[in-house]
Amino acid sequence: MRHMKFVVLIMPFLAMYFNIQAQSNPFKAPLYWNPYEYNFTTDGPIPESEWSANIDWMDQNLKQHGYHMICIDGWGENVPHDQYGYRTSHDGSWTHDYAWWSNNLQSRGMELGIYQNPLWIDRYSADNGALIKGTTIPLSSLIDDTENALWFTWVQVDRPGAEEYVKGYIQHFADMGVTYLRVDFLSWFEDGYDKNLGTVGVNRPHSEYETALRWMKEACDANGMFLSLVMPHLKNEAATEIEYGHMVRINEDVGHGGWQRFNDFERGIRHSWWSQWYNTFDGYTYWSHISGRNKMILDGDFIRLNTMANDDEKKTVISLNLMAGGPLSVADQYNTIGNDLWLYQNTEMLALNQDGFVGKPLFTNDPTDESSQVWAGQMSNGDWIVGLFNREENTRNRSLDFSWLGFSGNASVRDLWAHQDLGEMSSYAVDVPPHGCVILKVVPTGSGHQSQMNVAGTFTGWSLNISMSLVNGTWEARNVNVNAGDHQLKFANTSDWSGDDWGDANGLSGTASLTTGGGSNITFNIGQNGDYDIFFDDQSLAYSIVDSGCNSGGCIT
């Protein structure tokens, strides 16, 4: 394994070039069930009886492990709509509508997720005189009859009533208690291009795409709803989606499943359209540069464990989704899961999701570089989680030098799939089988500190000219002059950014993460001009920024 330090150093420049401003994401990746497998294998809507049977199975087997949501998918036929043109049920054959199922799930301690694009218009409702809710504007006025679009009738967002219709659609679901919205076919709306079908609609001005996403985000935020963006082109390094979504798809549909779809499909080839990376592993690896704790969540699509060849492949699927901070979106069914349920029930792995953990490739986000198969990240308590993956067809030796994680000395190591403590050690190496992985918890036990520590930020022009002193096990920089306002900073163990650095947090105190290679900064706000003391523990990664006067009795707290 090569330590590709020169590769990761390009990442800060990538982020600066695109000026990506990530929102603070209040959600963590969901654990849930979706009927995609039934829909895909039958090419039709799921009967209500099968939907109900799968809910019972989830209730009995996975709800207690944190899988609290059941999300419907597409394929509905003869779909009922209300007087405003809003969809009310999955399929015309169903006895119960969405509102009924939402109440039913809530009574079980679960919730309903909805698959629907608020930019779609039901032609039947429009042709029969539906008015946009809260207005006297005909729904039909939002339709461009000259628009030659495949499958869907799209809202014209530049017309009166469009905002009311889109936001009203989201409110329609929110009023049922729905807190998760999965919005599909965004690339078709954005520029009307599909890689397989060619032209499927209109190439719209970017402002219209942005407006549509902004309306959705505003309506979702008003209702505490999770907004999942599906099939986006992710142009300009996903700048628009980062601003307006909570989660974004980063690979093709799972389809027939199997290792081919997860790992081999168009491996290492980047495209300029949806989806830029076709397989799950490539997508998670490359797009890791936009993810992070409280940032954009990456969505690797549904999981069909029953299509994988062996337990090594199955553990890799679960592990990569959790290591990347993505969802576990179960598409296996009560009658197809076989003996694989235990893989969804590994409490030591599920702890990553509960913690809001997000890992990244340790050396590079280039999917064509084998060193991208080593992942790492930190739990909120500072414990390291390391993923040693093997995407290849032959056994690979994967090694871990703890200095790569930013600390020296020994650490206690635990295998999260074997549920076994491996003891205290100074490094680790293992032969990983083809398509397999080893997931470790690494907890530093030694007393070693970095040989030096410096701090830089907006208040230094990002020059590492403030050296810190190690006092009683904590690095400190005293009497640093900082003006009032919003600021950013990072800690670094060199004076020229050639080593490791730590950031990726928010506020005057918190826990930083290793961000070498382009991770985000620590952001904070200073209320008034003055001198401040900055503290950083390079083992627990706790930091704080305190008014210098407070340390000599000058502040009342």
Side-chain angles (χ1 to χ4, degrees):
M1 182 57 57
R2 303 184 308 280
H3 190 169
M4 302 295 284
K5 183 71 72 174
F6 70 93
V7 176
V8 299
L9 288 175
I10 70 170
M11 294 304 297
F13 302 103
L14 184 68
M16 288 188 291
Y17 178 79
F18 289 105
N19 193 29
I20 296 171
Q21 297 297 318
Q23 58 172 307
S24 179
N25 193 338
F27 299 102
K28 62 183 179 183
L31 309 177
Y32 70 104
W33 182 83
N34 184 286
Y36 176 89
E37 181 177 80
Y38 184 97
N39 298 143
F40 180 82
T41 55
T42 64
D43 195 25
I46 187 169
E48 194 168 23
S49 59
E50 288 297 293
W51 164 261
S52 181
N54 277 291
I55 290 175
D56 291 342
W57 170 68
M58 290 292 293
D59 194 358
Q60 296 163 12
N61 294 284
L62 290 177
K63 182 180 73 176
Q64 66 267 38
H65 293 282
Y67 298 80
H68 294 152
M69 183 172 68
I70 307 293
C71 183
I72 197 63
D73 207 67
W75 278 274
E77 298 172 353
N78 302 315
V79 176
H81 290 75
D82 68 10
Q83 68 268 35
Y84 306 110
Y86 295 148
R87 185 171 182 166
T88 59
S89 181
H90 174 62
D91 186 76
S93 67
W94 280 30
T95 300
H96 302 297
D97 60 13
Y98 285 147
W100 188 94
W101 276 109
S102 182
N103 287 331
N104 177 273
L105 286 166
Q106 289 178 62
S107 72
R108 302 178 184 220
M110 305 173 80
E111 58 188 19
L112 176 66
I114 288 290
Y115 169 99
Q116 183 69 27
N117 191 324
L119 300 172
W120 292 335
I121 294 178
D122 176 51
R123 273 278 186 178
Y124 180 84
S125 298
D127 291 345
N128 283 273
L131 300 179
I132 298 168
K133 189 173 184 179
T135 78
T136 58
I137 302 172
L139 179 58
S140 59
S141 69
L142 299 183
I143 299 174
D144 183 352
D145 288 316
T146 69
E147 189 172 281
N148 185 24
L150 181 67
W151 296 356
F152 307 113
T153 301
W154 296 102
V155 170
Q156 306 303 304
V157 299
D158 59 342
R159 297 186 180 180
E163 182 175 1
E164 290 85 349
Y165 174 79
V166 171
K167 290 184 173 180
Y169 219 144
I170 293 171
Q171 191 64 49
H172 164 72
F173 293 127
D175 290 343
M176 301 176 191
V178 170
T179 58
Y180 178 87
L181 179 65
R182 187 174 178 85
V183 181
D184 204 356
F185 287 93
L186 287 170
S187 56
W188 286 25
F189 175 79
E190 181 178 13
D191 66 7
Y193 176 77
D194 181 87
K195 60 183 174 297
N196 296 314
L197 301 173
T199 300
V200 292
V202 175
N203 187 1
R204 306 176 195 278
H206 179 74
S207 60
E208 293 189 4
Y209 177 65
E210 185 171 16
T211 294
L213 292 189
R214 176 170 56 81
W215 288 347
M216 294 183 206
K217 178 67 162 47
E218 289 172 350
C220 285
D221 285 350
N223 289 284
M225 189 179 291
F226 188 116
L227 180 58
S228 172
L229 305 180
V230 183
M231 277 183 65
H233 285 307
L234 301 180
K235 298 179 180 180
N236 297 320
E237 296 301 302
T240 303
E241 291 81 9
I242 288 171
E243 186 171 359
Y244 297 112
H246 297 123
M247 184 165 75
V248 65
R249 272 282 300 282
I250 42 81
N251 61 287
E252 290 292 307
D253 295 0
V254 65
H256 293 285
W259 186 254
Q260 192 274 341
R261 207 72 176 182
F262 181 78
N263 184 78
D264 296 339
F265 189 25
E266 294 277 311
R267 180 175 173 180
I269 301 173
R270 188 179 186 184
H271 305 273
S272 59
W273 51 72
W274 159 258
S275 64
Q276 294 189 31
W277 301 91
Y278 282 12
N279 70 70
T280 309
F281 222 124
D282 281 358
Y284 269 137
T285 300
Y286 179 78
W287 290 110
S288 63
H289 78 87
I290 69 171
S291 68
R293 188 181 289 271
N294 302 320
K295 296 181 182 177
M296 175 59 75
I297 298 167
L298 307 181
D299 178 5
D301 201 35
F302 305 123
I303 299 173
R304 300 182 61 192
L305 287 185
N306 68 85
T307 67
M308 292 294 165
N310 53 52
D311 285 352
D312 286 325
E313 291 183 357
K314 295 168 187 178
K315 286 190 287 186
T316 294
V317 170
I318 297 293
S319 299
L320 182 64
N321 279 278
L322 291 174
M323 281 296 302
L328 291 185
S329 47
V330 182
D332 301 278
Q333 302 167 78
Y334 72 96
N335 55 1
T336 67
I337 187 64
N339 297 319
D340 292 336
L341 189 61
W342 64 276
L343 290 137
Y344 287 121
Q345 296 172 322
N346 184 338
T347 56
E348 292 195 71
M349 291 298 301
L350 292 174
L352 276 61
N353 175 269
Q354 295 164 5
D355 185 74
F357 170 92
V358 181
K360 296 174 183 287
L362 187 56
F363 304 127
T364 174
N365 73 325
D366 179 0
T368 67
D369 189 324
E370 192 170 340
S371 67
S372 68
Q373 297 176 40
V374 176
W375 286 60
Q378 284 184 284
M379 302 285 277
S380 58
N381 67 357
D383 291 353
W384 284 95
I385 306 295
V386 177
L388 305 174
F389 293 97
N390 180 10
R391 303 180 63 180
E392 313 309 325
E393 298 303 312
N394 300 299
T395 298
R396 289 288 200 271
N397 183 267
R398 300 286 187 234
S399 60
L400 175 65
D401 186 323
F402 296 156
S403 67
W404 299 345
L405 304 180
F407 68 88
S408 59
N410 289 353
S412 60
V413 179
R414 181 173 177 82
D415 186 317
L416 299 187
W417 279 108
H419 307 295
Q420 180 181 4
D421 288 324
L422 305 181
E424 187 172 318
M425 55 191 70
S426 59
S427 63
Y428 181 83
V430 64
D431 287 333
V432 183
H435 307 181
C437 68
V438 173
I439 310 298
L440 306 172
K441 178 191 289 186
V442 180
V443 182
T445 58
S447 59
H449 290 277
Q450 299 293 322
S451 60
Q452 64 171 301
M453 190 63 63
N454 301 279
V455 63
T458 50
F459 47 90
T460 71
W462 289 106
S463 172
L464 284 166
N465 58 9
I466 298 178
S467 60
M468 306 185 78
S469 300
L470 186 63
V471 179
N472 296 324
T474 299
W475 293 97
E476 60 180 46
R478 298 279 186 168
N479 299 310
V480 177
N481 188 258
V482 185
N483 292 329
D486 293 325
H487 290 281
Q488 300 180 42
L489 68 75
K490 274 191 176 182
F491 302 101
N493 63 2
T494 65
S495 59
D496 60 2
W497 300 105
S498 61
D500 290 316
D501 55 69
W502 294 263
D504 193 22
N506 180 58
L508 294 173
S509 63
T511 303
S513 296
L514 184 70
T515 51
T516 306
S520 63
N521 307 318
I522 294 172
T523 61
F524 62 97
N525 178 269
I526 292 296
Q528 60 183 7
N529 298 346
D531 290 339
Y532 292 82
D533 296 339
I534 303 173
F535 302 93
F536 180 54
D537 185 327
D538 60 351
Q539 294 185 343
S540 71
L541 303 188
Y543 75 91
S544 61
I545 305 164
V546 182
D547 187 319
S548 295
C550 295
N551 292 312
S552 58
C555 293
I556 299 175
T557 60

